[in-house]
Amino acid sequence: MMKKLTFILLASILFLSSCAMMQRVVKGTFPYTANMVIPASASVGEPHTAISTANSFDQDFTKDGNNAGKISEVRIVSAKLESKDPANYNIGNIASLRVYMAKADGSDEVMVAIRKDIAATSGNSIVLDIDNSHFLDELVRQPNVRIRMVYKLRKAGDVDVSLKLSLGIGADPRN
C-alpha cells in the first residue's frame, strides 16, 4: 500500500512538473542547499573561500536535474546559514561573509547573499542579507550549481566545521 502511494505521488509530481505554475511552486518550496566546510586551520582576520555544489530536493525527480524550463525572473528570496557539525558551533566566530552562486564550472558568478556584521554571540543559525538584484534564470536551469562562500573568521575553531547554507528562490511562470 505504501509503495503504491509513493509511486502515485512521484508520478503526480513528474506529471505536474511540466506545468509552469507547478514548477514555480516547486522551485519556491525546495531551497538550494550546500554544505560549506570551514577547516580548523583557517586563520583569523584573513579572507578564506569555501566551495560546494548546491542542489535542490526537486532536482532528484528529473532526468537531467533541470526542471526550471518554464519559470523566469528567478531571484533569491531568503538565505540562512546554520551549523551542522558540530551542531552547537557559534556562527558568531565568523566576522563576515559573502555568498556567490555560479554554474558548475564557476562561470556567470553572482553574489546572492552577504552578512557584514555578524554578532559574536549569534549562536548556531543566522539569516543572511539577500542580494536579489540579479536574475538567476540560467543558473537554476543547470543540473549543478556552484556555491562559493568568502568569509573572515573572528575566532579560529578547534575542529573542522560543517555549515548548511539554504538559499530560497522565488520565480514567475515563464510566458
Side-chain angles (χ1 to χ4, degrees), residues 52-83:
S52 181
T53 300
N55 57 26
S56 181
F57 176 74
D58 65 299
Q59 290 176 318
D60 296 335
F61 295 111
T62 59
K63 180 180 175 185
D64 61 358
N66 177 355
N67 67 346
K70 296 185 179 176
I71 58 174
S72 65
E73 298 183 8
V74 179
R75 294 181 184 213
I76 295 293
V77 295
S78 66
K80 182 179 180 180
L81 187 67
E82 58 187 324
S83 56

Side-chain angles (χ1 to χ4, degrees), residues 17 19-20 23-24 27 32 54-56 58-59 62-76 101-105 107-108 134-146 169-175:
S17 68
C19 168
Q23 283 185 6
R24 176 181 176 239
K27 279 293 185 192
Y32 278 86
N55 57 26
S56 181
D58 65 299
Q59 290 176 318
T62 59
K63 180 180 175 185
D64 61 358
N66 177 355
N67 67 346
K70 296 185 179 176
I71 58 174
S72 65
E73 298 183 8
V74 179
R75 294 181 184 213
I76 295 293
M101 182 182 262
K103 292 181 180 176
D105 64 1
S107 64
D108 297 334
H134 306 281
F135 289 125
L136 306 172
D137 297 25
E138 292 304 314
L139 291 177
V140 299
R141 291 187 183 106
Q142 301 295 313
N144 295 306
V145 178
R146 184 180 100 149
I169 65 169
D172 290 331
R174 188 177 198 179
N175 295 329

